[in-house]
Amino acid sequence: MEHDRTLKFTPVDHPDARLRRIGFDLTDPYVEQCWSAVIGPSSTLLLRRLPTLWVNQVPAEIDAAELSGSLGLGAGVGERSRLASTLDRLVNFGLARPAPDSAGLEVYRQVPPLTQRQLARVPEWTRGAEERLLGAHLTQVDD
């Protein structure tokens, strides 16, 4: 990844209508308490930070080196930068997709509940948090 380029992050609704209804907003504690065990801390921090960036500008535009530094990822030395891995995780786990213009990502405003397969791989504490947070969330959705 070139660190002297500007990255764009565009908020988009998830293409799955059911997920738009039952999914969690990026500012919801579910993102940090549940998804962090799956996607890691840097991807979680980026997801949580995006709504703040979108307050000032949509799409949010930020220099790759500045973003990397602000996430605590450093300058990205070597073949593959830690920032590139962070962005790839968002795409690989279905939380974002590459933007059509290849200058960044379209990030879904909603994240899904963890799948049974993902839950089987996370620590017990995360499973407990997921059960509690999902239960409370679904109660509000049904209202």
Side-chain angles (χ1 to χ4, degrees), residues 12-50:
V12 295
D13 284 327
H14 198 280
D16 182 333
R18 181 176 172 272
L19 200 145
R20 286 194 304 271
R21 185 168 123 45
I22 66 163
F24 294 87
D25 183 86
L26 298 181
T27 60
D28 195 284
Y30 189 93
V31 174
E32 183 178 332
Q33 293 182 34
C34 300
W35 271 99
S36 62
V38 176
I39 61 174
S42 59
S43 295
T44 302
L45 181 56
L46 177 56
L47 281 178
R48 300 279 286 175
R49 183 166 298 158
L50 287 172

Side-chain angles (χ1 to χ4, degrees), residues 41-42 45 49 65-76 82-83 86:
S42 59
L45 181 56
R49 183 166 298 158
E66 183 179 346
L67 177 61
S68 184
S70 76
L71 296 174
L73 299 175
R82 291 166 67 191
L83 178 59
T86 295

